[in-house]
Amino acid sequence: MKQMNITVIGCGRWGSFIAKYLADIGHRITLYGRASSARMRELLETRRNSLMQLPDSVTLTTDLKGALRDIDLLVISVGSQTLRTLLTELRAAGFGKGKLVLCMKGLEIGTGKRLSEIVREELGEGVTAAVWLGPGHVQEFCAGIPNCMVIDSEDEATKNILVDAFSGELIRFYYGQDMIGNEIGAAAKNVIGIAAGLLDGLRLSTLKGALMSRGTREIARLIKALGGNELSAYGLCHLGDYEATVFSAFSHNRQFGEAFAKGEQFPDLAEGYYTVKALNLLSRRYGVELPICHTVEDVLYNGAQAREAVFRLFERSLKNEF
């Protein structure tokens, strides 16, 4: 494995873990965060957050131009709805050529666009985008629990380089073969996570099996309509991520859904809250039925009562399973 100069943008728990993981397997890592970020200030002062201690080999900086200088690879881990703004900043800072890896899951709420499409729009053809997706929570990785993940890119050479460069004892990477399916599936699993949390909050957790099965089918239909491979929904990006999203105590989306059903506040980011509107936009645009996604949006945005909305799903007309 060739040692690479890598800058990671995003000093949250996932971005910080990525920086630590890549440094631990032998790369030269710079972690960038905004000077205004409380998380970045904590890292600068203590080199740790609530979950991990950063190794001394990770360079911390709040200088974006400096962080982009002489790098082999840029890794981004920020909220999906802030990506376009960040990319305009990267362009202004001179980043217009190279390889970029997106370590986040979502769709742009106003357009339904995949994150790699936004990269192409904002940075042009000189930047090659890849995605790092799949199951795994920082808490479990920090405890030494391994998992399997996916790297995908439209550029085969980039994909091969990244799988080789990123593989370690903690994470086994698979080669993705469908950017559309992997990005849509990864984003959609957060919505299914919120639905699972609603069931938990309603004490209907036994319905999670049906949710997983039917949720995968509706997302597979959407992936196919968009031109992807519907089998991607059954891979690591979506169905393979359900244990970490539908059942885990660490899942922000599941926790958010449970809190919402109970009428409680949940302070952390739940990407599925935004993604569900983007998915339903695509549902209308491509004429694909997404009953679970429609139900989640009705509950979160339109004032539908969660229990009644769940049982309305059961009142839909009878049909074949496949």
Side-chain angles (χ1 to χ4, degrees):
M1 179 194 72
K2 176 190 172 186
Q3 186 183 55
M4 302 176 75
N5 292 322
I6 302 173
T7 285
V8 178
I9 292 181
C11 57
R13 291 184 297 184
W14 185 233
S16 299
F17 168 73
I18 289 168
K20 179 182 185 305
Y21 170 76
L22 293 176
D24 285 345
I25 63 173
H27 297 293
R28 292 184 291 269
I29 304 300
T30 296
L31 177 61
Y32 166 83
R34 299 184 191 279
S36 59
S37 165
R39 288 172 171 170
M40 191 62 185
R41 288 198 298 271
E42 180 182 16
L43 289 175
L44 287 167
E45 291 170 5
T46 67
R47 297 193 64 83
R48 66 174 300 115
N49 59 27
S50 60
L51 296 175
M52 74 199 80
Q53 176 82 40
L54 289 178
D56 292 339
S57 58
V58 173
T59 299
L60 298 172
T61 185
T62 58
D63 174 14
L64 183 58
K65 283 190 176 181
L68 298 174
R69 195 174 298 125
D70 299 326
I71 60 172
D72 300 307
L73 183 68
L74 182 64
V75 175
I76 297 179
S77 175
V78 299
S80 61
Q81 304 310 311
T82 68
L83 177 62
R84 193 178 290 274
T85 298
L86 172 63
L87 295 175
T88 62
E89 295 175 8
L90 292 177
R91 189 174 65 241
F95 185 78
K97 188 176 182 181
K99 296 182 185 349
L100 179 156
V101 184
L102 298 167
C103 298
M104 55 233 257
K105 304 164 184 176
L107 301 170
E108 191 170 48
I109 190 170
T111 66
K113 289 181 177 177
R114 294 179 286 118
L115 304 185
S116 66
E117 293 180 294
I118 299 171
V119 170
R120 193 176 304 113
E121 284 184 5
E122 294 296 334
L123 298 181
E125 298 298 326
V127 173
T128 301
V131 293
W132 171 346
L133 304 168
H137 287 295
V138 173
Q139 294 91 331
E140 292 168 334
F141 283 134
C142 288
I145 301 171
N147 218 320
C148 301
M149 304 188 82
V150 174
I151 288 176
D152 205 352
S153 176
E154 300 287 1
D155 184 76
E156 287 294 320
T158 294
K159 183 166 48 180
N160 292 336
I161 289 168
L162 294 177
V163 169
D164 178 63
F166 287 0
S167 292
E169 292 183 1
L170 199 57
I171 304 177
R172 174 188 173 91
F173 285 100
Y174 285 80
Y175 297 90
Q177 298 171 295
D178 176 23
M179 281 286 279
I180 292 173
N182 280 320
E183 287 190 87
I184 293 293
K189 69 93 190 177
N190 287 328
V191 176
I192 303 301
I194 290 178
L198 292 173
L199 293 177
D200 286 336
L202 296 170
R203 303 185 70 178
L204 295 171
S205 302
T206 188
L207 292 177
K208 284 184 181 180
L211 171 70
M212 293 165 63
S213 174
R214 301 315 304 161
T216 305
R217 278 304 298 145
E218 71 177 64
I219 298 308
R221 290 195 299 267
L222 179 61
I223 289 171
K224 183 178 180 180
L226 292 170
N229 183 345
E230 62 182 318
L231 291 178
S232 295
Y234 299 89
L236 287 168
C237 76
H238 188 77
L239 180 60
D241 206 351
Y242 272 7
E243 192 282 331
T245 303
V246 174
F247 295 101
S248 175
F250 300 129
S251 168
H252 282 182
N253 289 282
R254 192 208 59 77
Q255 288 176 284
F256 171 80
E258 182 175 3
F260 196 95
K262 293 178 176 178
E264 300 171 355
Q265 295 295 313
F266 183 73
D268 295 318
L269 174 67
E271 285 281 10
Y273 179 81
Y274 306 102
T275 300
V276 70
K277 289 187 77 72
L279 286 171
N280 286 324
L281 184 156
L282 295 175
S283 167
R284 295 186 294 272
R285 185 180 296 164
Y286 289 89
V288 179
E289 225 180 342
L290 302 177
I292 294 170
C293 294
H294 296 323
T295 298
V296 171
E297 182 175 359
D298 274 347
V299 171
L300 299 186
Y301 288 91
N302 302 328
Q305 294 300 305
R307 184 173 293 273
E308 286 79 358
V310 167
F311 281 104
R312 274 199 300 274
L313 279 173
F314 282 81
E315 295 169 0
R316 288 165 48 82
S317 59
L318 303 178
K319 59 190 68 179
N320 292 331
E321 183 178 15
F322 296 104

